[in-house]
Amino acid sequence: MGIAREVFGEALPLAERYAAFLAKAGVERGLIGPREVDRLWERHLINCAVVSEVIPEDAQVVDVGSGAGLPGVVLAIVRPDLRVILLEPLLRRTTFLNECVELLELPNVEVRRGRAEDMTGEFSVDVATARAVAPLERLATWALPLLRPGGELLALKGERAATELDEAKAVLDRFGVRSTELLQVGQGMVDPPTTLVRVVAGRGEVVGRRQRAPRRAKGSRKRSS
């Protein structure tokens, strides 16, 4: 537990409570496979917690397809400065997440039931996270409209990260993203390190084939390029 203590610090007891809940209720309800119990810390909790290294202070985060709360709940535990929305379409999973938030007494977490693609205009956040939800090509179309201009999609990916980034190029271009990159976080803490695809949103989101620009304040003038 040495690395876990280093990663979670004073929040370790809370992380331990979450791990116990995952190992029991998470397995019983099919959110975590029984074989994952013995590797919950390295493969799941620490793997998710190190993502916090690249999230700005006081950011608002939406965890798309949160499932059992990975990485959303973990990020809320390790970074109480974050405001986290756990977005999940399935009732049984949102029920689990609500019980989890109540058990852990996380004041910085909100659980919302719904599909990301139906949430455009409902809220706008600084960071969107996702883990094992969908290929980047599809995930980007769901997550990017939820970001403020300059916001970041942080997708936890494995060995196919570079390939998925290449395959998503056309979609990302259509959304007018500012930049993309592959990152590895948690060096020396998890083996292998956690691989992230970071996508920085452009000025506005695409609706169909048209790009919708952010609203300008009354009296402001549109700059000529």
Side-chain angles (χ1 to χ4, degrees):
M1 295 292 288
I3 294 178
R5 187 170 290 106
E6 180 181 350
V7 172
F8 285 95
E10 295 180 355
L12 181 60
L14 206 56
E16 290 175 330
R17 199 183 310 169
Y18 176 50
F21 191 59
L22 281 176
K24 183 172 174 56
V27 171
E28 290 172 351
R29 302 185 198 183
L31 278 75
I32 292 288
R35 296 181 181 179
E36 299 302 308
V37 172
D38 291 338
R39 49 186 184 179
L40 270 178
W41 285 97
E42 181 176 349
R43 186 179 177 89
H44 299 286
L45 274 73
I46 297 175
N47 178 269
C48 290
V50 295
V51 176
S52 66
E53 295 176 12
V54 295
I55 297 180
E57 289 185 6
D58 301 319
Q60 185 170 10
V61 180
V62 60
D63 187 28
V64 176
S66 193
L70 301 164
V73 169
V74 175
L75 293 174
I77 290 172
V78 76
R79 289 281 303 278
D81 62 296
L82 302 178
R83 291 161 293 154
V84 181
I85 298 172
L86 305 178
L87 183 59
E88 170 58 48
L90 296 183
L91 176 59
R92 67 183 180 88
R93 292 179 180 175
T94 55
T95 299
F96 175 88
L97 291 171
N98 277 310
E99 291 176 10
C100 184
V101 171
E102 183 178 354
L103 172 69
L104 302 178
E105 299 179 344
L106 296 173
N108 57 331
V109 177
E110 174 189 358
V111 179
R112 295 190 66 159
R113 185 184 175 197
R115 301 186 307 171
E117 57 266 44
D118 296 332
M119 291 292 166
T120 302
E122 293 291 320
F123 54 80
S124 187
V125 299
D126 305 300
V127 176
T129 60
R131 182 177 190 253
V133 173
L136 184 64
E137 185 175 15
R138 195 162 5 124
L139 175 63
T141 67
W142 302 339
L144 288 174
L146 305 179
L147 295 173
R148 299 187 177 104
E152 299 181 357
L153 166 61
L154 299 175
L156 286 76
K157 294 293 181 180
E159 296 177 353
R160 294 195 75 254
T163 300
E164 286 196 30
L165 187 54
D166 287 340
E167 293 172 346
K169 186 178 186 306
V171 169
L172 298 177
D173 287 347
R174 181 162 61 87
F175 273 87
V177 302
R178 294 184 186 178
S179 63
T180 63
E181 64 178 321
L182 295 178
L183 299 174
Q184 287 195 325
V185 292
Q187 300 276 359
M189 297 180 183
V190 284
D191 184 23
T194 302
T195 299
L196 298 175
V197 177
R198 175 157 63 184
V199 178
V200 180
R203 290 178 56 82
E205 67 273 11
V206 170
V207 180
R209 295 184 178 224
R210 298 189 308 166
Q211 185 166 337
R212 186 170 67 198
R215 293 180 180 176
R216 299 191 303 276
K218 291 183 179 179
S220 65
R221 294 183 179 178
K222 183 179 180 181
R223 292 184 179 180
S224 57
S225 53

